[in-house]
Amino acid sequence: MIRRGFISAILFASLATSGIAQTNVTLNMQVGGKTRNCVVHVPTGTTKPPLVFFIHGANGSGAGLQSETKANTTADREKFIAAFPSATSNGATGTWDDMMGTGNFPFFLAVIDTLAARYQIDRNRIYMTGFSQGGFISFQAGCMFSDVFAAIAPVSGHVSTTTCAIKRPVPVFMTFGASEGAASFLKDLDLWLKLDKCPSTSTIVRPYPASNPNSKAVRVGYGPCESGSSVVMDSIQGQGHQWPSTNNLNQADEVWNFFKQYSLTGTTAVHEQNIVLGRVSFSLDYSAGMLRLGGIGEEARVRITDTKGRLIANSAASRREFDLQGQPGGIYLVSVTGSAGSLARKFLIP
């Protein structure tokens, strides 16, 4: 974690006078000889809140991305702190110094330390998403600081290095506009599937969510990968290089629904954890070696796999109980596919 020496001065433009109140806080600080600023949205009623970074693209700003994403609404409802840092570089306001943003991580880490001191954030639940150049930087956060960021969600950005050496499997949620072309994004997907040691089979929901037949999004999900991580990719038909339009999906909500599953110490609720792949609903109960499912139609299919993608069971949903005695302890995934779409749920064999 960053040393305090990186910060020579921190000035708070606006602060809650006591406790944590819903407000925008502007952090101004000197880091590496540069004046940097970050708009931070702090919801009411939070205790040890998670932190999500939103990184803007070229010629943008933290305040601009805050307005575009409408992430404040999501943060208020879900009780996480949203940070919107701004770039300074090369005399070109709003452009990060390089596509990977490596020179800016001392600034990001300084923001983390500052918010940890002020709001007692949960350091196991720090995340990063970003658009365009911010997507490149988000990928780099996973590569360089997998021990800091629990999960990442790049939008219309790429992995810009072939030497990504992660210290732990990093869950990734990628999003791009289909009009941007898919080939380079598929390369990013393939790289991360290898890094996280994901199974080769995927779950596809078209359209996503299945409950909205007018949606232009297609979701491809892989998991469980190593240590219970997952890799998810959304492509949005008819969309170009942009933060996804709220007319189709609320991207801030989708990003948080992915992030909230993960922490640096593993999944956040492994017994009843949804991987958001579709809109099928079912209940799950595991005890004494028996897995019992409920709430699924007769026409659905059930697959059970381990973290290496090894198939444990594959049957019609009419079979509601599965004898898993003798299976080694660890995280397993139940995938249910029906006419309404697919949903994957994790469970733990102690």
Side-chain angles (χ1 to χ4, degrees), residues 15-49:
L15 282 175
T17 56
S18 63
I20 297 182
Q22 179 179 317
T23 183
N24 278 340
V25 176
T26 300
L27 306 181
N28 296 296
M29 58 181 69
Q30 292 289 323
V31 182
K34 294 181 179 180
T35 301
R36 312 303 301 266
N37 72 81
C38 179
V39 177
V40 181
H41 184 75
V42 184
T44 58
T46 59
T47 302
K48 201 176 183 182

PDB file of all heavy atoms in Angstrom, residues 15-49:
ATOM      1  N   LEU A  15     -16.654  18.714   3.318  1.00  0.00           N
ATOM      2  CA  LEU A  15     -16.664  17.525   4.157  1.00  0.00           C
ATOM      3  C   LEU A  15     -17.892  17.522   5.045  1.00  0.00           C
ATOM      4  O   LEU A  15     -18.385  18.579   5.446  1.00  0.00           O
ATOM      5  CB  LEU A  15     -15.419  17.473   5.054  1.00  0.00           C
ATOM      6  CG  LEU A  15     -14.096  17.026   4.427  1.00  0.00           C
ATOM      7  CD1 LEU A  15     -12.987  17.157   5.455  1.00  0.00           C
ATOM      8  CD2 LEU A  15     -14.193  15.574   3.975  1.00  0.00           C
ATOM      9  N   ALA A  16     -18.375  16.328   5.359  1.00  0.00           N
ATOM     10  CA  ALA A  16     -19.407  16.224   6.386  1.00  0.00           C
ATOM     11  C   ALA A  16     -18.780  16.579   7.721  1.00  0.00           C
ATOM     12  O   ALA A  16     -17.670  16.183   8.011  1.00  0.00           O
ATOM     13  CB  ALA A  16     -19.966  14.801   6.420  1.00  0.00           C
ATOM     14  N   THR A  17     -19.466  17.337   8.533  1.00  0.00           N
ATOM     15  CA  THR A  17     -18.884  17.784   9.786  1.00  0.00           C
ATOM     16  C   THR A  17     -18.838  16.691  10.830  1.00  0.00           C
ATOM     17  O   THR A  17     -17.993  16.711  11.721  1.00  0.00           O
ATOM     18  CB  THR A  17     -19.700  18.980  10.336  1.00  0.00           C
ATOM     19  OG1 THR A  17     -21.063  18.571  10.470  1.00  0.00           O
ATOM     20  CG2 THR A  17     -19.612  20.162   9.376  1.00  0.00           C
ATOM     21  N   SER A  18     -19.730  15.725  10.747  1.00  0.00           N
ATOM     22  CA  SER A  18     -19.689  14.631  11.708  1.00  0.00           C
ATOM     23  C   SER A  18     -20.350  13.415  11.098  1.00  0.00           C
ATOM     24  O   SER A  18     -21.327  13.527  10.372  1.00  0.00           O
ATOM     25  CB  SER A  18     -20.424  15.013  13.002  1.00  0.00           C
ATOM     26  OG  SER A  18     -21.784  15.257  12.743  1.00  0.00           O
ATOM     27  N   GLY A  19     -19.798  12.225  11.389  1.00  0.00           N
ATOM     28  CA  GLY A  19     -20.358  10.988  10.852  1.00  0.00           C
ATOM     29  C   GLY A  19     -20.206  10.944   9.350  1.00  0.00           C
ATOM     30  O   GLY A  19     -19.462  11.703   8.743  1.00  0.00           O
ATOM     31  N   ILE A  20     -20.926  10.038   8.707  1.00  0.00           N
ATOM     32  CA  ILE A  20     -20.909   9.933   7.257  1.00  0.00           C
ATOM     33  C   ILE A  20     -22.242  10.415   6.740  1.00  0.00           C
ATOM     34  O   ILE A  20     -23.271   9.809   6.976  1.00  0.00           O
ATOM     35  CB  ILE A  20     -20.636   8.487   6.803  1.00  0.00           C
ATOM     36  CG1 ILE A  20     -19.253   8.051   7.284  1.00  0.00           C
ATOM     37  CG2 ILE A  20     -20.753   8.350   5.306  1.00  0.00           C
ATOM     38  CD1 ILE A  20     -18.875   6.664   6.848  1.00  0.00           C
ATOM     39  N   ALA A  21     -22.236  11.517   6.037  1.00  0.00           N
ATOM     40  CA  ALA A  21     -23.463  12.078   5.488  1.00  0.00           C
ATOM     41  C   ALA A  21     -23.410  11.983   3.967  1.00  0.00           C
ATOM     42  O   ALA A  21     -22.338  11.963   3.376  1.00  0.00           O
ATOM     43  CB  ALA A  21     -23.606  13.543   5.914  1.00  0.00           C
ATOM     44  N   GLN A  22     -24.571  11.903   3.352  1.00  0.00           N
ATOM     45  CA  GLN A  22     -24.622  11.834   1.899  1.00  0.00           C
ATOM     46  C   GLN A  22     -24.150  13.158   1.342  1.00  0.00           C
ATOM     47  O   GLN A  22     -24.758  14.194   1.533  1.00  0.00           O
ATOM     48  CB  GLN A  22     -26.052  11.540   1.449  1.00  0.00           C
ATOM     49  CG  GLN A  22     -26.211  11.466  -0.059  1.00  0.00           C
ATOM     50  CD  GLN A  22     -27.630  11.142  -0.432  1.00  0.00           C
ATOM     51  OE1 GLN A  22     -28.244  10.289   0.171  1.00  0.00           O
ATOM     52  NE2 GLN A  22     -28.155  11.829  -1.423  1.00  0.00           N
ATOM     53  N   THR A  23     -23.045  13.144   0.607  1.00  0.00           N
ATOM     54  CA  THR A  23     -22.464  14.383   0.119  1.00  0.00           C
ATOM     55  C   THR A  23     -21.448  14.089  -0.950  1.00  0.00           C
ATOM     56  O   THR A  23     -20.986  12.963  -1.099  1.00  0.00           O
ATOM     57  CB  THR A  23     -21.783  15.155   1.277  1.00  0.00           C
ATOM     58  OG1 THR A  23     -21.287  16.403   0.789  1.00  0.00           O
ATOM     59  CG2 THR A  23     -20.613  14.368   1.844  1.00  0.00           C
ATOM     60  N   ASN A  24     -21.116  15.100  -1.733  1.00  0.00           N
ATOM     61  CA  ASN A  24     -19.960  15.037  -2.609  1.00  0.00           C
ATOM     62  C   ASN A  24     -18.798  15.711  -1.904  1.00  0.00           C
ATOM     63  O   ASN A  24     -18.933  16.822  -1.373  1.00  0.00           O
ATOM     64  CB  ASN A  24     -20.229  15.754  -3.933  1.00  0.00           C
ATOM     65  CG  ASN A  24     -20.992  14.880  -4.909  1.00  0.00           C
ATOM     66  OD1 ASN A  24     -21.009  13.660  -4.778  1.00  0.00           O
ATOM     67  ND2 ASN A  24     -21.623  15.498  -5.894  1.00  0.00           N
ATOM     68  N   VAL A  25     -17.678  15.025  -1.874  1.00  0.00           N
ATOM     69  CA  VAL A  25     -16.466  15.536  -1.264  1.00  0.00           C
ATOM     70  C   VAL A  25     -15.427  15.676  -2.358  1.00  0.00           C
ATOM     71  O   VAL A  25     -15.240  14.750  -3.151  1.00  0.00           O
ATOM     72  CB  VAL A  25     -15.945  14.563  -0.179  1.00  0.00           C
ATOM     73  CG1 VAL A  25     -14.623  15.043   0.401  1.00  0.00           C
ATOM     74  CG2 VAL A  25     -16.980  14.389   0.922  1.00  0.00           C
ATOM     75  N   THR A  26     -14.766  16.819  -2.469  1.00  0.00           N
ATOM     76  CA  THR A  26     -13.700  16.980  -3.435  1.00  0.00           C
ATOM     77  C   THR A  26     -12.363  16.923  -2.709  1.00  0.00           C
ATOM     78  O   THR A  26     -12.094  17.744  -1.827  1.00  0.00           O
ATOM     79  CB  THR A  26     -13.813  18.309  -4.197  1.00  0.00           C
ATOM     80  OG1 THR A  26     -15.059  18.334  -4.895  1.00  0.00           O
ATOM     81  CG2 THR A  26     -12.682  18.448  -5.201  1.00  0.00           C
ATOM     82  N   LEU A  27     -11.558  15.930  -3.047  1.00  0.00           N
ATOM     83  CA  LEU A  27     -10.219  15.813  -2.489  1.00  0.00           C
ATOM     84  C   LEU A  27      -9.247  16.505  -3.414  1.00  0.00           C
ATOM     85  O   LEU A  27      -9.178  16.194  -4.614  1.00  0.00           O
ATOM     86  CB  LEU A  27      -9.817  14.339  -2.352  1.00  0.00           C
ATOM     87  CG  LEU A  27     -10.733  13.393  -1.575  1.00  0.00           C
ATOM     88  CD1 LEU A  27     -10.117  12.001  -1.545  1.00  0.00           C
ATOM     89  CD2 LEU A  27     -10.964  13.904  -0.173  1.00  0.00           C
ATOM     90  N   ASN A  28      -8.472  17.454  -2.900  1.00  0.00           N
ATOM     91  CA  ASN A  28      -7.379  18.076  -3.636  1.00  0.00           C
ATOM     92  C   ASN A  28      -6.094  17.700  -2.928  1.00  0.00           C
ATOM     93  O   ASN A  28      -5.973  17.895  -1.713  1.00  0.00           O
ATOM     94  CB  ASN A  28      -7.536  19.595  -3.666  1.00  0.00           C
ATOM     95  CG  ASN A  28      -8.772  20.022  -4.423  1.00  0.00           C
ATOM     96  OD1 ASN A  28      -8.878  19.789  -5.625  1.00  0.00           O
ATOM     97  ND2 ASN A  28      -9.726  20.625  -3.727  1.00  0.00           N
ATOM     98  N   MET A  29      -5.136  17.169  -3.649  1.00  0.00           N
ATOM     99  CA  MET A  29      -3.914  16.707  -3.016  1.00  0.00           C
ATOM    100  C   MET A  29      -2.720  16.856  -3.937  1.00  0.00           C
ATOM    101  O   MET A  29      -2.865  16.925  -5.162  1.00  0.00           O
ATOM    102  CB  MET A  29      -4.057  15.244  -2.589  1.00  0.00           C
ATOM    103  CG  MET A  29      -4.386  14.279  -3.710  1.00  0.00           C
ATOM    104  SD  MET A  29      -4.573  12.561  -3.132  1.00  0.00           S
ATOM    105  CE  MET A  29      -6.096  12.679  -2.187  1.00  0.00           C
ATOM    106  N   GLN A  30      -1.564  16.948  -3.334  1.00  0.00           N
ATOM    107  CA  GLN A  30      -0.305  16.958  -4.065  1.00  0.00           C
ATOM    108  C   GLN A  30       0.272  15.552  -4.030  1.00  0.00           C
ATOM    109  O   GLN A  30       0.565  15.022  -2.966  1.00  0.00           O
ATOM    110  CB  GLN A  30       0.673  17.942  -3.436  1.00  0.00           C
ATOM    111  CG  GLN A  30       0.291  19.411  -3.577  1.00  0.00           C
ATOM    112  CD  GLN A  30       0.440  19.900  -5.006  1.00  0.00           C
ATOM    113  OE1 GLN A  30       1.360  19.498  -5.711  1.00  0.00           O
ATOM    114  NE2 GLN A  30      -0.470  20.763  -5.428  1.00  0.00           N
ATOM    115  N   VAL A  31       0.429  14.934  -5.196  1.00  0.00           N
ATOM    116  CA  VAL A  31       0.988  13.595  -5.295  1.00  0.00           C
ATOM    117  C   VAL A  31       2.046  13.607  -6.388  1.00  0.00           C
ATOM    118  O   VAL A  31       1.758  13.979  -7.526  1.00  0.00           O
ATOM    119  CB  VAL A  31      -0.087  12.536  -5.632  1.00  0.00           C
ATOM    120  CG1 VAL A  31       0.528  11.152  -5.679  1.00  0.00           C
ATOM    121  CG2 VAL A  31      -1.219  12.572  -4.617  1.00  0.00           C
ATOM    122  N   GLY A  32       3.268  13.221  -6.050  1.00  0.00           N
ATOM    123  CA  GLY A  32       4.340  13.189  -7.035  1.00  0.00           C
ATOM    124  C   GLY A  32       4.601  14.538  -7.673  1.00  0.00           C
ATOM    125  O   GLY A  32       4.948  14.595  -8.856  1.00  0.00           O
ATOM    126  N   GLY A  33       4.412  15.615  -6.917  1.00  0.00           N
ATOM    127  CA  GLY A  33       4.681  16.953  -7.426  1.00  0.00           C
ATOM    128  C   GLY A  33       3.566  17.537  -8.275  1.00  0.00           C
ATOM    129  O   GLY A  33       3.730  18.618  -8.845  1.00  0.00           O
ATOM    130  N   LYS A  34       2.420  16.838  -8.379  1.00  0.00           N
ATOM    131  CA  LYS A  34       1.297  17.334  -9.163  1.00  0.00           C
ATOM    132  C   LYS A  34       0.087  17.546  -8.265  1.00  0.00           C
ATOM    133  O   LYS A  34      -0.121  16.807  -7.310  1.00  0.00           O
ATOM    134  CB  LYS A  34       0.911  16.343 -10.269  1.00  0.00           C
ATOM    135  CG  LYS A  34       1.959  16.148 -11.342  1.00  0.00           C
ATOM    136  CD  LYS A  34       1.456  15.166 -12.396  1.00  0.00           C
ATOM    137  CE  LYS A  34       2.474  14.954 -13.503  1.00  0.00           C
ATOM    138  NZ  LYS A  34       1.979  13.995 -14.527  1.00  0.00           N
ATOM    139  N   THR A  35      -0.702  18.549  -8.608  1.00  0.00           N
ATOM    140  CA  THR A  35      -1.969  18.757  -7.912  1.00  0.00           C
ATOM    141  C   THR A  35      -3.015  17.872  -8.552  1.00  0.00           C
ATOM    142  O   THR A  35      -3.235  17.930  -9.765  1.00  0.00           O
ATOM    143  CB  THR A  35      -2.409  20.221  -7.998  1.00  0.00           C
ATOM    144  OG1 THR A  35      -1.407  21.058  -7.408  1.00  0.00           O
ATOM    145  CG2 THR A  35      -3.732  20.423  -7.275  1.00  0.00           C
ATOM    146  N   ARG A  36      -3.636  17.034  -7.741  1.00  0.00           N
ATOM    147  CA  ARG A  36      -4.637  16.102  -8.238  1.00  0.00           C
ATOM    148  C   ARG A  36      -5.948  16.329  -7.505  1.00  0.00           C
ATOM    149  O   ARG A  36      -5.970  16.799  -6.369  1.00  0.00           O
ATOM    150  CB  ARG A  36      -4.186  14.646  -8.010  1.00  0.00           C
ATOM    151  CG  ARG A  36      -2.765  14.327  -8.440  1.00  0.00           C
ATOM    152  CD  ARG A  36      -2.537  14.645  -9.916  1.00  0.00           C
ATOM    153  NE  ARG A  36      -3.432  13.915 -10.783  1.00  0.00           N
ATOM    154  CZ  ARG A  36      -3.133  12.755 -11.357  1.00  0.00           C
ATOM    155  NH1 ARG A  36      -1.965  12.162 -11.112  1.00  0.00           N
ATOM    156  NH2 ARG A  36      -3.988  12.172 -12.171  1.00  0.00           N
ATOM    157  N   ASN A  37      -7.063  15.962  -8.158  1.00  0.00           N
ATOM    158  CA  ASN A  37      -8.347  16.067  -7.470  1.00  0.00           C
ATOM    159  C   ASN A  37      -9.227  14.887  -7.814  1.00  0.00           C
ATOM    160  O   ASN A  37      -9.095  14.258  -8.871  1.00  0.00           O
ATOM    161  CB  ASN A  37      -9.047  17.396  -7.776  1.00  0.00           C
ATOM    162  CG  ASN A  37      -9.592  17.450  -9.179  1.00  0.00           C
ATOM    163  OD1 ASN A  37     -10.665  16.914  -9.459  1.00  0.00           O
ATOM    164  ND2 ASN A  37      -8.871  18.113 -10.076  1.00  0.00           N
ATOM    165  N   CYS A  38     -10.120  14.587  -6.883  1.00  0.00           N
ATOM    166  CA  CYS A  38     -11.015  13.439  -7.012  1.00  0.00           C
ATOM    167  C   CYS A  38     -12.343  13.794  -6.355  1.00  0.00           C
ATOM    168  O   CYS A  38     -12.377  14.186  -5.183  1.00  0.00           O
ATOM    169  CB  CYS A  38     -10.397  12.212  -6.338  1.00  0.00           C
ATOM    170  SG  CYS A  38     -11.415  10.717  -6.395  1.00  0.00           S
ATOM    171  N   VAL A  39     -13.422  13.677  -7.098  1.00  0.00           N
ATOM    172  CA  VAL A  39     -14.766  13.853  -6.543  1.00  0.00           C
ATOM    173  C   VAL A  39     -15.187  12.536  -5.918  1.00  0.00           C
ATOM    174  O   VAL A  39     -15.073  11.476  -6.534  1.00  0.00           O
ATOM    175  CB  VAL A  39     -15.765  14.273  -7.629  1.00  0.00           C
ATOM    176  CG1 VAL A  39     -17.178  14.370  -7.047  1.00  0.00           C
ATOM    177  CG2 VAL A  39     -15.355  15.597  -8.259  1.00  0.00           C
ATOM    178  N   VAL A  40     -15.661  12.584  -4.685  1.00  0.00           N
ATOM    179  CA  VAL A  40     -16.051  11.380  -3.953  1.00  0.00           C
ATOM    180  C   VAL A  40     -17.490  11.538  -3.490  1.00  0.00           C
ATOM    181  O   VAL A  40     -17.842  12.553  -2.884  1.00  0.00           O
ATOM    182  CB  VAL A  40     -15.127  11.146  -2.744  1.00  0.00           C
ATOM    183  CG1 VAL A  40     -15.537   9.871  -2.011  1.00  0.00           C
ATOM    184  CG2 VAL A  40     -13.672  11.057  -3.183  1.00  0.00           C
ATOM    185  N   HIS A  41     -18.308  10.537  -3.786  1.00  0.00           N
ATOM    186  CA  HIS A  41     -19.695  10.549  -3.321  1.00  0.00           C
ATOM    187  C   HIS A  41     -19.826   9.591  -2.145  1.00  0.00           C
ATOM    188  O   HIS A  41     -19.497   8.408  -2.253  1.00  0.00           O
ATOM    189  CB  HIS A  41     -20.666  10.126  -4.425  1.00  0.00           C
ATOM    190  CG  HIS A  41     -22.099  10.227  -4.019  1.00  0.00           C
ATOM    191  ND1 HIS A  41     -22.766  11.430  -3.913  1.00  0.00           N
ATOM    192  CD2 HIS A  41     -22.993   9.272  -3.659  1.00  0.00           C
ATOM    193  CE1 HIS A  41     -24.006  11.215  -3.524  1.00  0.00           C
ATOM    194  NE2 HIS A  41     -24.175   9.915  -3.356  1.00  0.00           N
ATOM    195  N   VAL A  42     -20.302  10.114  -1.005  1.00  0.00           N
ATOM    196  CA  VAL A  42     -20.382   9.346   0.235  1.00  0.00           C
ATOM    197  C   VAL A  42     -21.846   9.227   0.650  1.00  0.00           C
ATOM    198  O   VAL A  42     -22.471  10.215   1.034  1.00  0.00           O
ATOM    199  CB  VAL A  42     -19.571  10.032   1.360  1.00  0.00           C
ATOM    200  CG1 VAL A  42     -19.586   9.164   2.618  1.00  0.00           C
ATOM    201  CG2 VAL A  42     -18.145  10.318   0.906  1.00  0.00           C
ATOM    202  N   PRO A  43     -22.436   8.035   0.579  1.00  0.00           N
ATOM    203  CA  PRO A  43     -23.845   7.864   0.966  1.00  0.00           C
ATOM    204  C   PRO A  43     -24.040   7.995   2.475  1.00  0.00           C
ATOM    205  O   PRO A  43     -23.084   7.902   3.259  1.00  0.00           O
ATOM    206  CB  PRO A  43     -24.166   6.435   0.513  1.00  0.00           C
ATOM    207  CG  PRO A  43     -23.079   6.057  -0.429  1.00  0.00           C
ATOM    208  CD  PRO A  43     -21.868   6.811   0.037  1.00  0.00           C
ATOM    209  N   THR A  44     -25.263   8.153   2.878  1.00  0.00           N
ATOM    210  CA  THR A  44     -25.595   8.155   4.298  1.00  0.00           C
ATOM    211  C   THR A  44     -25.630   6.732   4.825  1.00  0.00           C
ATOM    212  O   THR A  44     -25.829   5.772   4.072  1.00  0.00           O
ATOM    213  CB  THR A  44     -26.972   8.797   4.533  1.00  0.00           C
ATOM    214  OG1 THR A  44     -27.959   8.077   3.794  1.00  0.00           O
ATOM    215  CG2 THR A  44     -26.977  10.250   4.100  1.00  0.00           C
ATOM    216  N   GLY A  45     -25.445   6.611   6.125  1.00  0.00           N
ATOM    217  CA  GLY A  45     -25.708   5.353   6.814  1.00  0.00           C
ATOM    218  C   GLY A  45     -24.792   4.205   6.458  1.00  0.00           C
ATOM    219  O   GLY A  45     -25.212   3.052   6.485  1.00  0.00           O
ATOM    220  N   THR A  46     -23.542   4.493   6.098  1.00  0.00           N
ATOM    221  CA  THR A  46     -22.620   3.408   5.755  1.00  0.00           C
ATOM    222  C   THR A  46     -21.722   3.067   6.935  1.00  0.00           C
ATOM    223  O   THR A  46     -21.334   3.935   7.716  1.00  0.00           O
ATOM    224  CB  THR A  46     -21.731   3.785   4.567  1.00  0.00           C
ATOM    225  OG1 THR A  46     -20.982   4.967   4.889  1.00  0.00           O
ATOM    226  CG2 THR A  46     -22.555   4.039   3.330  1.00  0.00           C
ATOM    227  N   THR A  47     -21.390   1.795   7.049  1.00  0.00           N
ATOM    228  CA  THR A  47     -20.445   1.313   8.051  1.00  0.00           C
ATOM    229  C   THR A  47     -19.410   0.462   7.352  1.00  0.00           C
ATOM    230  O   THR A  47     -19.753  -0.512   6.691  1.00  0.00           O
ATOM    231  CB  THR A  47     -21.156   0.471   9.125  1.00  0.00           C
ATOM    232  OG1 THR A  47     -22.182   1.249   9.745  1.00  0.00           O
ATOM    233  CG2 THR A  47     -20.162   0.007  10.187  1.00  0.00           C
ATOM    234  N   LYS A  48     -18.148   0.851   7.441  1.00  0.00           N
ATOM    235  CA  LYS A  48     -17.062   0.173   6.742  1.00  0.00           C
ATOM    236  C   LYS A  48     -17.446  -0.069   5.281  1.00  0.00           C
ATOM    237  O   LYS A  48     -17.510  -1.200   4.806  1.00  0.00           O
ATOM    238  CB  LYS A  48     -16.702  -1.146   7.433  1.00  0.00           C
ATOM    239  CG  LYS A  48     -15.296  -1.645   7.096  1.00  0.00           C
ATOM    240  CD  LYS A  48     -14.916  -2.887   7.864  1.00  0.00           C
ATOM    241  CE  LYS A  48     -13.483  -3.291   7.528  1.00  0.00           C
ATOM    242  NZ  LYS A  48     -13.088  -4.544   8.245  1.00  0.00           N
ATOM    243  N   PRO A  49     -17.699   1.011   4.538  1.00  0.00           N
ATOM    244  CA  PRO A  49     -18.245   0.860   3.182  1.00  0.00           C
ATOM    245  C   PRO A  49     -17.216   0.348   2.173  1.00  0.00           C
ATOM    246  O   PRO A  49     -16.017   0.599   2.305  1.00  0.00           O
ATOM    247  CB  PRO A  49     -18.661   2.292   2.826  1.00  0.00           C
ATOM    248  CG  PRO A  49     -17.719   3.146   3.617  1.00  0.00           C
ATOM    249  CD  PRO A  49     -17.510   2.422   4.916  1.00  0.00           C
TER     250      PRO A  49
END
